[in-house]
mmCIF file of all heavy atoms in Angstrom:
data_model
loop_
_atom_site.group_PDB
_atom_site.id
_atom_site.type_symbol
_atom_site.label_atom_id
_atom_site.label_comp_id
_atom_site.label_asym_id
_atom_site.label_seq_id
_atom_site.Cartn_x
_atom_site.Cartn_y
_atom_site.Cartn_z
ATOM 1 N N LEU A 700 16.486 -20.490 -11.303
ATOM 2 C CA LEU A 700 15.641 -20.861 -12.438
ATOM 3 C C LEU A 700 16.092 -22.183 -13.040
ATOM 4 O O LEU A 700 15.273 -23.029 -13.423
ATOM 5 C CB LEU A 700 15.672 -19.755 -13.496
ATOM 6 C CG LEU A 700 14.908 -18.476 -13.154
ATOM 7 C CD1 LEU A 700 15.210 -17.383 -14.169
ATOM 8 C CD2 LEU A 700 13.411 -18.738 -13.094
ATOM 9 N N LEU A 703 14.904 -24.953 -10.785
ATOM 10 C CA LEU A 703 13.465 -25.176 -10.924
ATOM 11 C C LEU A 703 13.152 -25.938 -12.198
ATOM 12 O O LEU A 703 12.294 -26.832 -12.207
ATOM 13 C CB LEU A 703 12.720 -23.836 -10.901
ATOM 14 C CG LEU A 703 11.202 -23.935 -11.067
ATOM 15 C CD1 LEU A 703 10.585 -24.780 -9.958
ATOM 16 C CD2 LEU A 703 10.571 -22.544 -11.086
ATOM 17 N N LEU A 704 13.834 -25.612 -13.281
ATOM 18 C CA LEU A 704 13.628 -26.337 -14.533
ATOM 19 C C LEU A 704 13.909 -27.831 -14.348
ATOM 20 O O LEU A 704 13.147 -28.683 -14.811
ATOM 21 C CB LEU A 704 14.545 -25.779 -15.622
ATOM 22 C CG LEU A 704 14.038 -24.569 -16.403
ATOM 23 C CD1 LEU A 704 15.143 -24.024 -17.297
ATOM 24 C CD2 LEU A 704 12.814 -24.914 -17.229
ATOM 25 N N LEU A 707 11.160 -29.516 -12.224
ATOM 26 C CA LEU A 707 9.927 -29.698 -12.982
ATOM 27 C C LEU A 707 10.058 -30.844 -13.975
ATOM 28 O O LEU A 707 9.114 -31.621 -14.177
ATOM 29 C CB LEU A 707 9.564 -28.398 -13.707
ATOM 30 C CG LEU A 707 9.100 -27.255 -12.809
ATOM 31 C CD1 LEU A 707 9.018 -25.955 -13.602
ATOM 32 C CD2 LEU A 707 7.757 -27.573 -12.170
ATOM 33 N N LEU A 753 4.561 -22.236 -12.528
ATOM 34 C CA LEU A 753 5.333 -20.992 -12.571
ATOM 35 C C LEU A 753 4.457 -19.894 -13.169
ATOM 36 O O LEU A 753 3.775 -20.111 -14.172
ATOM 37 C CB LEU A 753 6.589 -21.156 -13.423
ATOM 38 C CG LEU A 753 7.437 -19.887 -13.620
ATOM 39 C CD1 LEU A 753 8.155 -19.519 -12.325
ATOM 40 C CD2 LEU A 753 8.454 -20.064 -14.755
ATOM 41 N N LEU A 794 12.009 -17.508 -21.519
ATOM 42 C CA LEU A 794 11.587 -18.101 -20.249
ATOM 43 C C LEU A 794 10.319 -18.933 -20.434
ATOM 44 O O LEU A 794 10.210 -20.052 -19.924
ATOM 45 C CB LEU A 794 11.357 -17.001 -19.207
ATOM 46 C CG LEU A 794 12.616 -16.379 -18.606
ATOM 47 C CD1 LEU A 794 12.275 -15.084 -17.875
ATOM 48 C CD2 LEU A 794 13.286 -17.362 -17.651
ATOM 49 N N LEU A 795 9.347 -18.379 -21.150
ATOM 50 C CA LEU A 795 8.115 -19.112 -21.406
ATOM 51 C C LEU A 795 8.407 -20.415 -22.141
ATOM 52 O O LEU A 795 7.877 -21.477 -21.798
ATOM 53 C CB LEU A 795 7.147 -18.250 -22.219
ATOM 54 C CG LEU A 795 6.540 -17.038 -21.511
ATOM 55 C CD1 LEU A 795 5.824 -16.142 -22.513
ATOM 56 C CD2 LEU A 795 5.569 -17.484 -20.421
ATOM 57 N N LEU A 796 9.272 -20.336 -23.144
ATOM 58 C CA LEU A 796 9.610 -21.515 -23.927
ATOM 59 C C LEU A 796 10.355 -22.545 -23.076
ATOM 60 O O LEU A 796 10.063 -23.750 -23.137
ATOM 61 C CB LEU A 796 10.464 -21.113 -25.132
ATOM 62 C CG LEU A 796 10.943 -22.249 -26.036
ATOM 63 C CD1 LEU A 796 9.764 -23.007 -26.631
ATOM 64 C CD2 LEU A 796 11.850 -21.702 -27.144
ATOM 65 N N SER A 797 11.306 -22.099 -22.283
ATOM 66 C CA SER A 797 12.104 -23.015 -21.461
ATOM 67 C C SER A 797 11.218 -23.838 -20.535
ATOM 68 O O SER A 797 11.356 -25.066 -20.432
ATOM 69 C CB SER A 797 13.123 -22.229 -20.633
ATOM 70 O OG SER A 797 14.060 -21.572 -21.447
ATOM 71 N N PHE A 798 10.316 -23.165 -19.834
ATOM 72 C CA PHE A 798 9.493 -23.875 -18.862
ATOM 73 C C PHE A 798 8.395 -24.693 -19.536
ATOM 74 O O PHE A 798 7.996 -25.740 -19.023
ATOM 75 C CB PHE A 798 8.928 -22.887 -17.845
ATOM 76 C CG PHE A 798 9.939 -22.477 -16.828
ATOM 77 C CD1 PHE A 798 10.729 -21.355 -17.016
ATOM 78 C CD2 PHE A 798 10.142 -23.234 -15.690
ATOM 79 C CE1 PHE A 798 11.693 -20.990 -16.096
ATOM 80 C CE2 PHE A 798 11.096 -22.881 -14.752
ATOM 81 C CZ PHE A 798 11.878 -21.754 -14.957
ATOM 82 N N ALA A 799 7.919 -24.250 -20.677
ATOM 83 C CA ALA A 799 6.958 -25.065 -21.423
ATOM 84 C C ALA A 799 7.611 -26.360 -21.879
ATOM 85 O O ALA A 799 7.024 -27.437 -21.796
ATOM 86 C CB ALA A 799 6.424 -24.283 -22.619
ATOM 87 N N GLU A 800 8.856 -26.283 -22.349
ATOM 88 C CA GLU A 800 9.567 -27.474 -22.787
ATOM 89 C C GLU A 800 9.868 -28.418 -21.625
ATOM 90 O O GLU A 800 10.043 -29.622 -21.828
ATOM 91 C CB GLU A 800 10.867 -27.087 -23.498
ATOM 92 C CG GLU A 800 10.637 -26.450 -24.858
ATOM 93 C CD GLU A 800 11.925 -26.155 -25.603
ATOM 94 O OE1 GLU A 800 12.979 -26.051 -24.933
ATOM 95 O OE2 GLU A 800 11.878 -26.044 -26.829
ATOM 96 N N ALA A 801 9.909 -27.873 -20.404
ATOM 97 C CA ALA A 801 10.120 -28.716 -19.226
ATOM 98 C C ALA A 801 8.846 -29.413 -18.802
ATOM 99 O O ALA A 801 8.867 -30.227 -17.874
ATOM 100 C CB ALA A 801 10.651 -27.870 -18.080
ATOM 101 N N GLY A 802 7.744 -29.123 -19.478
ATOM 102 C CA GLY A 802 6.475 -29.755 -19.148
ATOM 103 C C GLY A 802 5.700 -29.059 -18.063
ATOM 104 O O GLY A 802 4.756 -29.615 -17.499
ATOM 105 N N ALA A 803 6.062 -27.831 -17.735
ATOM 106 C CA ALA A 803 5.397 -27.104 -16.654
ATOM 107 C C ALA A 803 4.092 -26.475 -17.125
ATOM 108 O O ALA A 803 3.898 -26.217 -18.308
ATOM 109 C CB ALA A 803 6.331 -26.011 -16.125
ATOM 110 N N VAL A 805 2.689 -23.218 -17.246
ATOM 111 C CA VAL A 805 3.240 -21.872 -17.181
ATOM 112 C C VAL A 805 2.119 -20.860 -17.417
ATOM 113 O O VAL A 805 1.384 -20.965 -18.399
ATOM 114 C CB VAL A 805 4.348 -21.665 -18.229
ATOM 115 C CG1 VAL A 805 5.013 -20.314 -18.035
ATOM 116 C CG2 VAL A 805 5.370 -22.786 -18.149
#
Side-chain angles (χ1 to χ4, degrees):
L700 287 170
L703 179 60
L704 274 172
L707 290 170
L753 176 72
L794 284 165
L795 291 169
L796 178 60
S797 296
F798 283 92
E800 289 184 338
V805 187

